Amino acid sequence: MKISGTVARGPSDKRKYEGSRNACQSIETKLWDILNQSEIPSPVRIMDFGGGDGETMAPIYRKLDAFNKQMIISVEEPHEDSLRKYKELIDNTSMTCIDITYSGPFQDYYGHTLEDLRVMNAYPQHLQDRVLALHVLYHLTSIFDDPFDPYENMKQAISAMYTILKPGGQMIIVLEKNEFCLIGAASLKCSEVLFPHKTKNHKLLFEVWKKLLFNGGIADVLNASFPMFKASVQQEEVVHNVVLPTLEEIGIAVSIGCLHGLFADQSPFDQRILQFCVDYVKSDGYKHGLYLNSEGMWCFPLNTYYITIQKNTNE
Ligand SMILES: C[S@@+](CC[C@H](N)C(=O)[O-])C[C@H]1O[C@@H](n2cnc3c(N)ncnc32)[C@H](O)[C@@H]1O
């Protein structure tokens, strides 16, 4: 989900979110930090899963360009128009060229070998220095899935990313939402009220993200499947602030986050979800850090998790 906003923080917010969390960093700055540009080789091979139109990565490519790094980019993105825009972006960045682009979903990678996927042109021929999934993994499991297996979905998707990663390379996953932040709490409450028979799925999905991604359990899963390598996982939580003029707009923003992935295109009740989120923001938003700033704008903290997985050779 992309919502523009500043990262200014209010005093009550600060009290509530103090601790080891890292505040006041823009997504671009954080990504730049994590990508560790000083160690980026030239040429660098990057594969971006669910890359969208490349808007999030565009400033990073421009910076790498300024550092004279040559970039060879592969993109997987099921939305054709977004993929076309991503290609245009690459064409307009001087030190960058496209390797492969694949317009199928992540699920196409499940259960296939590296060789199969290369033949399908879903993987590039070379292993990659960096593999990205920025705000994508929540699209892979809907609480309406039947059978519902978020653990298997995460395992398959992350294994597909790890497979194409070079030894010594880094995978970066960006994800937001848990049961405590405004969007996560609203979405959970929403399914409790509107889809009570799916609440169990919803809770399990949050559990799986927590266990595998926020608490680093994915390392054991990868190490069991790829015994030649040792995965090391680092996780950092950054609080970005969403700033909007009205509570209705906050409600709409929350409903977009709420709909993403969890109810993805499978819910016939979108209007009800929207209304639910607007009402929830008004009644319970303050419990999750919503406040009115001195300029009369409504703000709420958006907790974003940056998960880095390094693929090391097993000595
Ligand atoms: C919130 S956008 C993020 C785009 C980009 N990574 C960024 O950060 O700007 C989520 C992207 O995931 C893509 N997506 C949705 N379902 C997907 C799936 N099953 N497999 C791969 N990508 C998917 C969407 O088309 C969209 O481009």
Side-chain angles (χ1 to χ4, degrees):
M1 182 184 56
K2 264 197 222 107
I3 300 171
S4 57
T6 70
V7 290
R9 291 161 58 80
S12 57
D13 181 25
K14 209 174 249 167
R15 270 199 308 277
K16 212 164 170 194
Y17 290 91
E18 65 195 4
S20 62
R21 297 167 188 182
N22 189 352
C24 296
Q25 255 187 317
S26 72
I27 294 173
E28 180 191 328
T29 314
K30 189 70 228 159
L31 266 179
W32 183 245
D33 260 17
I34 288 180
L35 277 165
N36 203 356
Q37 75 82 20
S38 61
E39 288 185 17
I40 282 189
S42 184
V44 57
R45 293 180 190 275
I46 300 177
M47 180 153 188
D48 193 355
F49 283 87
D53 56 11
E55 199 188 315
T56 303
M57 283 304 287
I60 303 287
Y61 295 147
R62 281 195 287 271
K63 271 189 173 178
L64 286 170
D65 199 66
F67 278 86
N68 282 326
K69 302 275 185 188
Q70 213 192 328
M71 293 159 268
I72 303 169
I73 311 295
S74 294
V75 186
E76 178 269 348
E77 167 55 50
H79 190 263
E80 295 268 4
D81 199 44
S82 297
L83 189 57
R84 183 185 52 74
K85 288 186 182 147
Y86 204 128
K87 282 191 219 164
E88 279 171 17
L89 166 85
I90 297 299
D91 289 343
N92 293 327
T93 315
S94 61
M95 301 282 287
T96 315
C97 65
I98 284 278
D99 192 342
I100 64 116
T101 53
Y102 183 68
S103 60
F106 228 129
Q107 287 84 343
D108 284 3
Y109 293 74
Y110 299 178
H112 286 287
T113 63
L114 178 80
E115 292 73 27
D116 288 347
L117 288 159
R118 279 185 169 150
V119 171
M120 287 159 61
N121 216 24
Y123 270 154
Q125 293 300 320
H126 293 86
L127 294 178
Q128 304 290 293
D129 301 289
R130 298 287 184 276
V131 177
L132 316 171
L134 313 177
H135 298 295
V136 178
L137 295 187
Y138 15 65
H139 292 277
L140 307 187
T141 314
S142 158
I143 59 168
F144 294 95
D145 284 351
D146 186 13
F148 178 77
D149 196 346
Y151 182 90
E152 193 56 28
N153 282 350
M154 280 302 112
K155 181 181 162 188
Q156 295 272 8
I158 295 171
S159 298
M161 293 169 68
Y162 200 65
T163 300
I164 198 64
L165 189 63
K166 220 180 237 180
Q170 252 180 10
M171 209 160 101
I172 294 159
I173 294 170
V174 178
L175 202 66
E176 40 198 47
K177 273 202 282 269
N178 61 27
E179 67 267 44
F180 305 113
C181 69
L182 179 58
I183 293 175
S187 69
L188 196 53
K189 199 73 188 162
C190 184
S191 59
E192 271 170 32
V193 173
L194 298 180
F195 317 108
H197 54 301
K198 296 296 172 194
T199 308
K200 201 168 123 238
N201 285 358
H202 201 147
K203 288 188 172 159
L204 179 61
L205 180 57
F206 278 174
E207 274 296 300
V208 167
W209 288 349
K210 188 162 140 191
K211 184 172 170 202
L212 290 184
L213 295 168
F214 308 149
N215 292 346
I218 192 65
D220 292 338
V221 175
L222 290 172
N223 292 338
S225 306
F226 299 83
M228 303 269 287
F229 301 100
K230 192 164 170 50
S232 59
V233 181
Q234 279 192 325
Q235 184 267 99
E236 202 178 331
E237 182 184 356
V238 178
V239 183
H240 301 291
N241 234 21
V242 178
V243 182
L244 289 166
T246 64
L247 281 179
E248 278 69 24
E249 283 164 274
I250 295 273
I252 293 166
V254 166
S255 76
I256 294 167
C258 192
L259 289 165
H260 259 164
L262 300 170
F263 303 141
D265 303 329
Q266 295 183 40
S267 159
F269 302 116
D270 293 359
Q271 191 55 42
R272 287 172 62 194
I273 293 172
L274 174 61
Q275 190 57 53
F276 181 92
C277 288
V278 172
D279 293 344
Y280 186 83
V281 160
K282 289 179 180 169
S283 62
D284 288 52
Y286 69 94
K287 291 184 192 164
H288 309 287
L290 178 72
Y291 68 95
L292 189 62
N293 75 9
S294 55
E295 287 151 27
M297 299 287 275
W298 288 99
C299 313
F300 75 88
L302 187 64
N303 305 56
T304 304
Y305 298 86
Y306 293 83
I307 297 136
T308 312
I309 304 175
Q310 174 108 16
K311 185 177 188 179
N312 306 305
T313 313
N314 219 346
E315 302 291 332

